[in-house]
Amino acid sequence: MEDCLFCGIVSGDIPSDIVASSNLSVAFRDVRPGAPSHVLVVPKEHITDASTISPSNGAVVADMLMTAQEVAFIEKIHESGYRLVFNVGEDAGNSVPHLHLHVLGGRLMGWPPG
Ligand code: AMP
């Protein structure tokens, strides 16, 4: 999609620090990390956010979760634990309108998040 930041990262037009990729997803480091390990997993196809997911997106969402598992292994946080977050809408602070799964780990995280 034109003018989409994460579509630009997927295509390689915008530089990013890629951690892992599959045929359906790309994982890259968040530029403003909120934890020692903070990686974003995005679908290669443009999907706006988690509120627009339908059963037709099942394969890509499953692929994002499996890519997140791979990221956890690469980041060596698979045993200590990690948090997976989809932000939706203003109150959650969603700032980029291309579906992304935050993979956060490497420190103890409180619950509920602040
Ligand atoms: P959200 O607030 O859930 O929409 O998350 C968007 C995330 O994208 C934020 O954590 C930003 O720090 C991150 N971000 C914005 N621009 C870039 C970029 N060019 N490369 C990597 N991460 C980015």
Side-chain angles (χ1 to χ4, degrees):
M1 191 188 170
E2 244 178 82
D3 296 333
C4 170
L5 174 63
F6 289 172
C7 284
I9 287 178
V10 167
S11 69
D13 291 341
I14 294 171
S16 69
D17 185 356
I18 290 178
V19 175
S21 67
S22 71
N23 57 334
L24 296 177
S25 308
V26 178
F28 54 89
R29 293 192 193 285
D30 196 296
V31 280
R32 277 183 287 128
S37 181
H38 188 172
V39 174
L40 303 174
V41 181
V42 308
K44 287 183 175 174
E45 71 175 279
H46 185 86
I47 297 171
T48 303
D49 65 26
S51 75
T52 66
I53 294 292
S54 71
S56 67
N57 302 121
V60 75
V61 173
D63 186 86
M64 289 173 71
L65 289 168
M66 287 185 290
T67 302
Q69 290 173 2
E70 188 187 347
V71 166
F73 272 94
I74 291 167
E75 295 291 285
K76 298 185 173 58
I77 56 174
H78 58 292
E79 286 180 344
S80 52
Y82 53 96
R83 182 166 289 166
L84 300 177
V85 176
F86 285 108
N87 287 323
V88 180
E90 212 177 307
D91 277 2
N94 185 200
S95 58
V96 181
H98 180 126
L99 183 66
H100 49 282
L101 177 60
H102 293 259
V103 183
L104 297 140
R107 68 168 168 81
L108 196 57
M109 281 171 275
W111 188 262

